[in-house]
Amino acid sequence: MKKIPLGLISLVLWIISASVFLYFFLSGNVSESIDGRVAIHLNSQEKNLVLTEMRGLLASVNGIVSALAEDDYKKAELAASASGMEMVKKLEDEEKTILLKLPIEFKQLGFGTHDQFDKIAEDLRQKKDTKIILKELDKLTQNCVRCHATYKIAF
């Protein structure tokens, strides 16, 4: 009987492990819900973290709109910056366990939304015309609408 080299066994096990990790990283822990959306399965602590982050995003949108109505670009910039990629960095340690449960499209929408907040903050810093900022805000809220129309958080 021929012996299988230990290196080959290790390589095969590594490929299997990497494939399983990649599968879960791309697809997440999901199922189809009865309303046709994708149900993302999180525990109660993870669900609370995601919903708290979403409420923060909505508060930033409200802060931007409210400050723009008063022509207060600095206040609007601060509201936008609060939900940019800095928010992701602050939540990074807490979100590491969640990332495997989220489908790749959800992650892309989320990171794209945070990037869009940074873009709006930069436009506000440059005191661009309100119509330009509103167009960027429209792009941002389209992400929110698409996300909520596509996904739901489930247990």
Side-chain angles (χ1 to χ4, degrees):
M1 181 169 208
K2 189 176 178 183
K3 288 187 175 182
I4 301 173
L6 184 58
L8 181 60
I9 293 171
S10 298
L11 178 64
V12 169
L13 288 174
W14 180 85
I15 290 171
I16 291 169
S17 298
S19 298
V20 169
F21 174 80
L22 187 61
Y23 170 79
F24 281 109
F25 183 80
L26 295 175
S27 65
N29 185 14
V30 300
S31 64
E32 187 173 338
S33 69
I34 59 171
D35 63 4
R37 294 184 293 165
V38 175
I40 301 171
H41 300 279
L42 302 175
N43 66 37
S44 59
Q45 185 178 4
E46 294 163 338
K47 179 180 178 177
N48 186 53
L49 180 66
V50 171
L51 296 179
T52 299
E53 183 177 347
M54 287 180 183
R55 285 189 296 274
L57 300 177
L58 183 58
S60 288
V61 169
N62 180 254
I64 294 166
V65 172
S66 175
L68 284 177
E70 299 171 6
D71 280 334
D72 189 341
Y73 275 69
K74 185 61 180 169
K75 189 175 176 183
E77 177 194 339
L78 290 173
S81 294
S83 288
M85 290 305 287
E86 277 301 312
M87 178 189 243
V88 174
K89 289 176 187 167
K90 287 178 187 172
L91 295 171
E92 194 172 42
D93 288 335
E94 296 175 65
E95 288 187 337
K96 283 181 182 174
T97 58
I98 298 174
L99 284 177
L100 282 178
K101 295 182 177 183
L102 304 176
I104 191 70
E105 297 85 6
F106 185 89
K107 290 179 242 194
Q108 290 169 334
L109 266 174
F111 288 126
T113 299
H114 290 291
D115 280 335
Q116 189 64 22
F117 273 108
D118 285 336
K119 166 91 173 80
I120 291 168
E122 181 59 32
D123 288 349
L124 289 161
R125 225 173 275 116
Q126 295 175 10
K127 295 196 188 250
K128 289 191 177 177
D129 184 77
T130 306
K131 286 186 179 186
I132 292 170
I133 295 166
L134 287 173
K135 284 182 183 178
E136 294 299 327
L137 199 55
D138 176 55
K139 288 180 193 175
L140 185 142
T141 58
Q142 285 178 31
N143 281 357
C144 300
V145 170
R146 188 167 14 137
C147 183
H148 285 269
T150 306
Y151 299 102
K152 74 184 273 179
I153 306 296
F155 288 108

